[in-house]
């Protein structure tokens, strides 16, 4: 168990709050974290300004929901299949991992084709899921082939994951990462973890230091799939590979962080996470009122640092470090204060975290529905806040009632 070395006066109470020692195959702390990240995801994908936006637009650090979801996916794969590999051998892990990749691919393909087919309905505004508007430059990018190009072009691009809603693109990344998971476990099983890590860092570094082209792009796109514009595999594999390694060796890592001699690392992570939050509050984004921004760093200096070390698409090293220290801090907090946090938030967020693929799938069509309602274009802060809270509540209700669970993967 991770301890934050609480004062003696509160030690007894903290023991009552702490996460109980458990050998269960599923860690509810990870489910709770994944559920909480959906707040960030929904606030971004339902593109109205509300109280939830203050949490989602890199306000708690230079991180987004995508990094946390990828990290959690890797950790869970490492925990589940690491145990299976030790108990039954590597071969027993390959088929279920490939089956999961196939399930993710089918879900991705189905969503892409359904959204593509809905474009043929008259009077339906599809821009929210068929185009991407850059919040910083205002540029708009089409995500689907033109209707005039016909159904065959749609099916071909969908099959190759070369089109689809930007809100669902990370699932395409998952498909490829799960396909690579047997290789990752093979290296760990053969005690080649250091070589695996070195190769992962080398690919990331090569991608990161590529000189920009005239068009401004520099990333390697290994698959040619559309998700690589937002999540180039050469960069994002680094986060996933090391999350899998962390999951496989979770017990050793937790035991190491629990030692009195290692507690400084938890405190350092918390301090750095707080520092990153202070840093990102200096972001000169026009979306936020002046009173919500700090002015410790000049706008030009902030944007220069952000552009060099914190970009999302190529996973800048500052963003990666922020993700690591924030995860350590939150996991430590959930460990020592689990019972009150679980009582207050677990009833809502743990079910969302356990049905994450279902929530991902359903929210695409909720985005489309909301965007076609007058309320979806409101500039009223209170109404927008109620909208974000409402769609979260609707999805939670669907999960609790297992609505369409028979048809929608979860």
């Amino acid at each position: 168990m991770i301890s934050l070395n609480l004062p003696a006066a509160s030690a007894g109470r903290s023991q009552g709050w702490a996460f109980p020692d458990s050998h269960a195959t599923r860690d509810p702390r990870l489910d709770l974290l994944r559920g909480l990240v959906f707040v960030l995801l929904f606030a971004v994908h339902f593109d109205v300004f509300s109280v939830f936006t203050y949490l989602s637009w890199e306000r708690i650090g230079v991180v987004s929901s995508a990094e946390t979801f990828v990290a959690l996916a890797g950790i869970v794969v490492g925990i589940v299949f690491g145990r299976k590999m030790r108990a039954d051998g590597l071969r027993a892990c390959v088929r279920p991992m490939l089956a999961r990749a196939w399930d993710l691919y089918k879900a991705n393909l189905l969503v892409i084709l359904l959204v593509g087919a809905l474009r043929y309905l008259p009077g339906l505004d599809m821009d929210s899921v068929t185009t991407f508007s850059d919040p910083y430059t205002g540029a708009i990018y089409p995500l689907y082939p033109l209707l005039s190009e016909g159904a065959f072009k749609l099916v071909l691009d969908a099959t190759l994951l070369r089109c689809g809603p930007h809100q669902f693109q990370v699932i395409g990344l998952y498909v490829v990462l799960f396909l690579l998971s047997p290789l990752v476990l093979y290296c760990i099983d053969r005690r080649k973890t250091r070589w695996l890590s070195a190769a992962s860092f080398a690919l990331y570094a090569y991608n990161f230091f590529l000189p920009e082209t005239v068009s401004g792009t520099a990333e390697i796109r290994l698959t040619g799939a559309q998700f690589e514009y937002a999540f180039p595999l050469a960069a994002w594999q680094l986060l996933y590979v090391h999350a899998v390694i962390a999951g496989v060796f979770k017990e050793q890592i937790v035991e190491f962080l629990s030692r009195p001699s290692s507690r400084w690392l938890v405190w350092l992570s918390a301090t750095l996470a707080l520092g990153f939050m202070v840093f990102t509050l200096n972001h000169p984004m026009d979306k936020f009122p002046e009173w919500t921004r700090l002015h410790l760093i000049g706008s030009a200096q902030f944007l220069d640092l952000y552009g060099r070390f914190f970009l999302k698409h190529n996973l800048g090293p500052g963003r990666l470090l922020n993700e690591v220290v924030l995860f350590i801090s939150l996991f430590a907090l959930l460990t020592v204060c689990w019972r009150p946090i679980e009582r207050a938030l677990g009833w809502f967020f743990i079910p969302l975290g356990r049905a994450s693929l279902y929530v991902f799938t359903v929210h695409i069509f909720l985005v489309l529905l909301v965007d076609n309602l007058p309320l979806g274009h409101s500039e009223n802060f209170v109404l927008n806040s109620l909208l974000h809270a409402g769609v979260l509540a609707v999805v939670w209700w669907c999960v609790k009632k297992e609505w369409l669970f028979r048809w929608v993967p979860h």
Side-chain angles (χ1 to χ4, degrees):
M1 172 189 312
I2 296 176
S3 171
L4 294 186
N5 202 19
L6 297 173
S10 61
R13 183 176 60 181
S14 71
Q15 289 298 314
W17 286 2
F19 185 80
D21 291 332
S22 173
H23 298 286
T25 57
R26 188 154 196 147
D27 191 331
R29 290 169 294 185
L30 301 179
D31 290 324
L32 179 60
L33 280 175
R34 187 153 40 192
L36 283 168
V37 176
F38 275 117
V39 176
L40 312 186
L41 181 89
F42 276 42
V44 172
H45 288 179
F46 292 87
D47 191 17
V48 295
F49 193 83
S50 81
V51 66
F52 293 93
T53 311
Y54 288 109
L55 299 175
S56 62
W57 281 76
E58 298 186 357
R59 301 290 82 191
I60 59 174
V62 197
V63 295
S64 71
S65 57
E67 296 96 297
T68 309
F69 276 128
V70 170
L72 286 169
I75 290 171
V76 170
V77 165
I79 293 173
V80 173
F81 290 103
R83 289 174 178 171
K84 189 173 185 62
M85 182 173 65
R86 287 189 288 267
D88 304 319
L90 178 62
R91 286 189 177 183
C93 301
V94 174
R95 180 172 292 183
M97 282 191 290
L98 296 181
R100 184 58 173 171
W102 174 239
D103 289 340
L104 290 168
Y105 175 77
K106 289 187 294 183
N108 205 346
L109 183 61
L110 179 62
V111 169
I112 293 171
L113 291 175
L114 281 176
V115 170
L118 288 173
R119 296 181 304 159
Y120 291 92
L121 294 179
L124 192 61
D125 184 357
M126 300 292 297
D127 286 349
S128 60
V129 291
T130 61
T131 63
F132 173 70
S133 178
D134 191 313
Y136 300 105
T137 67
I140 298 177
Y141 303 94
L143 302 176
Y144 274 82
L146 298 175
L147 289 173
S148 59
E149 295 181 88
F152 179 79
K153 174 66 171 173
L154 170 63
V155 172
L156 177 62
D157 284 357
T159 303
L160 298 174
L161 303 183
R162 290 180 176 173
C163 64
H166 69 89
Q167 299 93 337
F168 209 67
Q169 285 179 346
V170 73
I171 303 299
L173 174 65
Y174 282 177
V175 172
V176 180
L177 292 175
F178 269 84
L179 286 174
L180 295 175
S181 295
L183 176 61
V184 175
L185 287 184
Y186 171 83
C187 294
I188 296 172
D189 186 50
R190 294 297 184 268
R191 303 183 185 276
K192 302 293 184 182
T193 306
R194 292 182 180 179
W195 288 102
L196 170 67
S197 179
S200 178
F201 267 104
L203 180 58
Y204 166 84
Y206 179 70
N207 180 78
F208 183 79
F209 289 109
L210 277 178
E212 289 192 355
T213 63
V214 175
S215 65
T217 60
E219 297 85 12
I220 308 169
R221 297 196 177 101
L222 298 171
T223 67
Q226 188 188 72
F227 72 82
E228 292 221 56
Y229 287 93
F231 310 107
L233 181 62
W236 285 73
Q237 55 77 28
L238 179 74
L239 182 58
Y240 180 80
V241 165
H242 287 83
V244 174
I245 294 172
V248 171
F249 297 105
K250 176 194 169 188
E251 294 180 3
Q252 294 92 321
I253 293 172
V254 170
E255 191 276 331
F256 170 77
L257 292 175
S258 301
R259 298 172 186 170
S261 59
S262 302
R263 288 172 184 165
W264 65 271
L265 185 57
V266 178
W267 285 109
L268 176 62
S269 296
T271 302
L272 288 174
L274 180 61
F276 280 120
M277 185 173 71
V278 172
F279 170 77
T280 197
L281 289 175
N282 288 272
H283 200 304
M285 282 191 289
D286 294 334
K287 278 182 173 284
F288 290 95
E290 188 69 20
W291 63 268
T292 66
R293 304 204 301 257
L294 298 178
H295 298 87
L296 302 175
I297 305 173
S299 297
Q301 183 182 10
F302 179 92
L303 293 175
D304 177 63
L305 290 171
Y306 189 95
R308 284 193 289 165
F309 303 111
F310 294 95
L311 290 180
K312 178 181 176 180
H313 63 91
N314 65 354
L315 272 185
R319 183 177 286 268
L320 274 171
L321 178 60
N322 195 167
E323 176 66 27
V324 171
V325 297
L326 182 61
F327 183 86
I328 292 173
S329 303
L330 292 176
F331 194 80
L333 177 64
L334 287 176
T335 299
V336 299
C337 299
W338 171 250
R339 294 190 187 279
I341 293 175
E342 192 273 337
R343 281 196 296 267
L345 304 175
W347 63 274
F348 188 87
F349 291 109
I350 289 177
L352 294 182
R354 287 178 174 170
S356 56
L357 183 56
Y358 173 90
V359 176
F360 254 109
T361 304
V362 168
H363 102 282
I364 297 298
F365 300 97
L366 282 176
V367 168
L368 182 58
L369 173 64
V370 167
D371 198 58
N372 280 272
L373 297 174
L375 183 62
H377 301 276
S378 171
E379 295 185 2
N380 186 296
F381 182 80
V382 175
L383 287 178
N384 291 341
S385 299
L386 291 173
L387 171 64
H388 279 148
V391 292
L392 281 166
V394 167
V395 173
W396 177 86
W397 181 87
C398 291
V399 170
K400 293 296 289 185
K401 296 298 181 180
E402 298 186 355
W403 185 65
L404 295 181
F405 265 35
R406 183 178 177 183
W407 307 105
V408 180
H410 49 88

